């Protein structure tokens, strides 16, 4: 399992670096930041499909004192982003951007705790949440 997550992470990092105009800048920037007492990963993208475009903001967050190692947060976020990007790319185009241009149309938040994780997706004024214990997470993988 570890090697599978590591392989996916390297593929994602490689593809991201190649797609960037300034890959060296991408390679030296940390994926994870410390904000207050939390580890935070944020990604921003523009999704273009059928002449329309929407902005998406992905934010993964976990307390620093969580029993889950911060590398797991990186792996989970990378795995989620890879699946999401693959799904979107089948019907449109994905462009990663450094920051939001105005407000995001879709906000995806992943919050990790000792007991499990919660995934919240907000779009068009509605938020849908799914909360899973670690047991449930590992049963679904």
């Amino acid at each position: 399992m570890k090697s599978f997550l590591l392989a996916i992470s390297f593929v994602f990092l490689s593809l991201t670096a190649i797609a960037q105009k300034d890959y060296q800048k991408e390679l030296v920037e940390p994926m994870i930041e410390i904000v207050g007492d939390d580890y935070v990963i944020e990604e921003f993208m523009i999704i273009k499909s059928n002449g329309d475009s929407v902005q998406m903001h992905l934010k993964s967050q976990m307390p620093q004192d969580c029993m889950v190692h911060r590398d797991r947060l990186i792996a989970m976020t990378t795995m989620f982003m890879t699946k999401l990007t693959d799904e979107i790319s089948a019907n449109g185009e994905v462009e990663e951007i450094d920051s939001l241009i105005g407000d995001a149309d879709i906000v995806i938040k992943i919050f990790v705790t000792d007991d499990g994780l919660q995934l919240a997706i907000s779009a068009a004024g509605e938020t849908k949440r799914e909360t899973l214990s670690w047991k449930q997470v590992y049963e679904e993988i």
Side-chain angles (χ1 to χ4, degrees), residues 7-133:
I8 288 176
S9 296
F10 281 124
V11 167
F12 178 77
L13 288 173
S14 299
L15 293 175
T16 302
I18 291 168
Q20 297 292 321
K21 290 180 184 174
D22 186 358
Y23 66 90
Q24 290 176 330
K25 177 184 171 195
E26 179 76 18
L27 291 172
V28 299
E29 287 183 7
M31 288 185 70
I32 196 163
E33 295 181 25
I34 297 174
V35 178
D37 292 333
D38 293 340
Y39 292 120
V40 176
I41 299 172
E42 290 189 284
E43 297 288 336
F44 309 99
M45 61 184 68
I46 297 173
I47 302 162
K48 297 176 184 173
S49 178
N50 299 325
D52 294 328
S53 68
V54 295
Q55 277 192 107
M56 187 168 66
H57 176 195
L58 172 75
K59 182 177 183 178
S60 295
Q61 188 170 349
M62 176 179 83
Q64 286 186 52
D65 63 356
C66 187
M67 71 162 199
V68 179
H69 194 279
R70 74 179 197 160
D71 291 352
R72 297 284 180 192
L73 181 67
I74 294 170
M76 284 186 278
T77 303
T78 301
M79 212 165 57
F80 183 82
M81 280 295 296
T82 301
K83 283 185 96 172
L84 184 64
T85 303
D86 287 348
E87 296 262 335
I88 294 169
S89 295
N91 298 317
E93 182 183 327
V94 177
E95 176 187 351
E96 288 192 39
I97 54 178
D98 292 332
S99 62
L100 288 176
I101 305 166
D103 296 322
D105 301 296
I106 302 169
V107 178
I108 300 173
K109 292 183 181 178
I110 302 169
F111 194 80
V112 175
T113 70
D114 289 344
D115 298 316
L117 65 85
Q118 182 180 74
L119 175 67
I121 301 173
S122 300
E126 287 188 34
T127 300
K128 296 190 181 207
R129 290 181 178 82
E130 183 172 2
T131 304
L132 301 167
S133 69

